[in-house]
Amino acid sequence: MLRFNAIVAWCGALIALAAPCAAHEVYVTNEKDNTVSVIDTKSLSVVRTIKVGKRPRGITFSRDYNRFFVCASDDNAVQVYDTATGTLLHDLPSGADPEQFVLSHDGKRLYIANEDDAITTVVDVATRQVIAQIPVGVEPEGMAISPDDSLVVTTSETTNMAHLIDTKTNTVVDNILVDARPRHAEFTPDGAKIWISSEIGGTVTIVDVATHKVEKTIQFEIPGVSRDKIQPVGFRITQDGATAYVALGPANRVAVVDTRSYEVTHYILVGQRVWHLAFTPQENMLITTNGVSNDVTIVDTASKKATKSIKVGRYPWGAAVRPQPTHTSGETSTETR
């Protein structure tokens, strides 16, 4: 009986390995072309191009993936599109020069960094109304929200701060000094830490959420690359919280960081001036946007190696992944992790 069970398990493993991977879609904003390139992750090719507003930067999906939001920075608008058709549905009142944004986990509120006005705008997605405009530092850009939706972070590039905002009161509760020109922020999956990249400082700062204190500052050294070219911008942390991938701008590398030891374990060569990153749902593939080489790089996360370059529009900036349904045993499920 034990041998029979082992054979069944072995056969099941073979079937799982033979099953085709789901083809997801990667949406990439192209600043200079005013477009979004849609990449199929199975064919690894651009399958359609969607015209959007001027200088698109940040991009994200609604929680059901039926709509996507784009920061059309030079149109001073957050635009909302139908995912299936690529049709513009409406604009949201975003404030001046929206750079990045983050959607609450319940999908009800959008928090937007307005670079020109030094504010964070809070928008009710359903009513399309501004709930609050919160003064922050000069040139806000990065946005992050805690897993429980209680805390929002805005980074200000010129003030060199991370501003912590209480989402119940829509007020700043603390200002944390980091290194020069902070660009991106993310909470760890457990909500215990905030990671903040500093482009000119060349570092990533780790902040303890409970104390609001800086716990660690990570620096990067790449043989043969001058320090001034190592400019951390976008990054992603795996769902298990064990690994972070950090885009290093004109260094043309992505750093792989062990989040327990804060040690850099790998540097992955990608396209020119890598900006932002996105994972596929299974996190087996990392996509990088490369602003100067006008392409994205596909990184295999198991081998920590770049496997393919895909041409997109001019100055690709942001990326977001739309999971596609996977079919097993006659049932349909959508993987969203």
Side-chain angles (χ1 to χ4, degrees):
M1 185 67 177
L2 289 174
R3 184 179 179 184
F4 175 77
N5 288 340
I7 292 171
V8 169
W10 177 74
C11 290
L14 285 179
I15 292 170
L17 288 172
C21 293
H24 307 295
E25 290 183 337
V26 186
Y27 283 54
V28 177
T29 55
N30 302 304
E31 276 194 88
K32 292 295 184 182
D33 285 348
N34 302 328
T35 60
V36 169
S37 298
V38 182
I39 297 170
D40 179 283
T41 63
K42 190 171 185 180
S43 67
L44 295 180
S45 61
V46 175
V47 293
R48 62 176 172 149
T49 302
I50 302 168
K51 292 291 293 183
V52 294
K54 296 177 183 177
R55 200 168 70 98
R57 305 200 93 189
I59 183 168
T60 194
F61 285 95
S62 60
R63 294 307 177 200
D64 59 9
Y65 295 96
N66 290 331
R67 293 163 293 149
F68 67 93
F69 303 80
V70 175
C71 280
S73 298
D74 284 355
D75 281 335
N76 297 325
V78 168
Q79 298 181 325
V80 184
Y81 289 83
D82 180 271
T83 305
T85 65
T87 303
L88 175 63
L89 299 175
H90 54 264
D91 289 353
L92 292 176
S94 68
D97 192 14
E99 293 282 310
Q100 289 199 62
F101 47 26
V102 65
L103 185 66
S104 62
H105 294 89
D106 61 13
K108 294 180 179 180
R109 292 187 176 187
L110 194 67
Y111 296 85
I112 307 162
N114 298 119
E115 188 170 59
D116 286 352
D117 287 351
I119 60 172
T120 295
T121 298
V122 187
V123 175
D124 185 296
V125 174
T127 65
R128 309 179 200 172
Q129 299 296 314
V130 172
I131 297 172
Q133 290 194 304
I134 306 160
V136 290
V138 180
E139 289 192 286
E141 176 158 334
M143 295 295 309
I145 191 164
S146 61
D148 63 0
D149 284 343
S150 66
L151 197 64
V152 161
V153 177
T154 301
T155 65
S156 55
E157 296 178 58
T158 300
T159 311
N160 300 332
M161 284 184 174
H163 310 280
L164 308 189
I165 299 169
D166 184 308
T167 59
K168 290 182 180 178
T169 61
N170 289 321
T171 57
V172 173
V173 294
D174 209 344
N175 301 290
I176 301 169
L177 187 66
V178 295
D179 286 336
R181 200 174 174 82
R183 296 299 296 263
H184 187 72
E186 273 198 35
F187 284 82
T188 54
D190 62 5
K193 314 291 181 188
I194 307 166
W195 286 47
I196 302 149
S197 65
S198 295
E199 183 179 24
I200 302 303
T203 61
V204 170
T205 300
I206 318 297
V207 174
D208 181 80
V209 173
T211 63
H212 297 182
K213 301 297 183 183
V214 173
E215 181 178 277
K216 178 73 176 178
T217 300
I218 302 171
Q219 297 185 337
F220 306 90
E221 293 184 6
I222 306 172
V225 178
S226 61
R227 185 174 293 276
D228 65 320
K229 288 189 175 181
I230 301 175
Q231 300 176 8
V233 277
F235 59 88
R236 294 293 179 191
I237 302 170
T238 56
Q239 286 295 318
D240 62 7
T243 308
Y245 292 79
V246 184
L248 297 179
N252 306 334
R253 304 294 199 285
V254 171
V256 184
V257 181
D258 182 313
T259 61
R260 289 176 289 265
S261 66
Y262 298 133
E263 296 295 324
V264 178
T265 61
H266 297 80
Y267 289 105
I268 305 168
L269 181 64
V270 294
Q272 296 177 39
R273 198 172 182 89
V274 53
W275 275 115
H276 285 284
L277 312 173
F279 281 122
T280 52
Q282 299 89 348
E283 296 184 344
N284 62 325
M285 185 184 293
L286 181 76
I287 299 92
T288 79
T289 61
N290 311 314
V292 174
S293 51
N294 299 329
D295 59 7
V296 304
T297 300
I298 305 299
V299 174
D300 177 77
T301 56
S303 65
K304 305 294 189 293
K305 292 182 179 180
T307 60
K308 188 176 177 64
S309 172
I310 304 168
K311 281 292 181 182
V312 289
R314 292 180 299 163
Y315 282 36
W317 196 89
V321 174
R322 181 194 184 200
Q324 297 298 294
T326 57
H327 302 277
T328 55
S329 304
E331 295 181 357
T332 301
S333 64
T334 302
E335 300 178 30
T336 57
R337 290 187 59 194

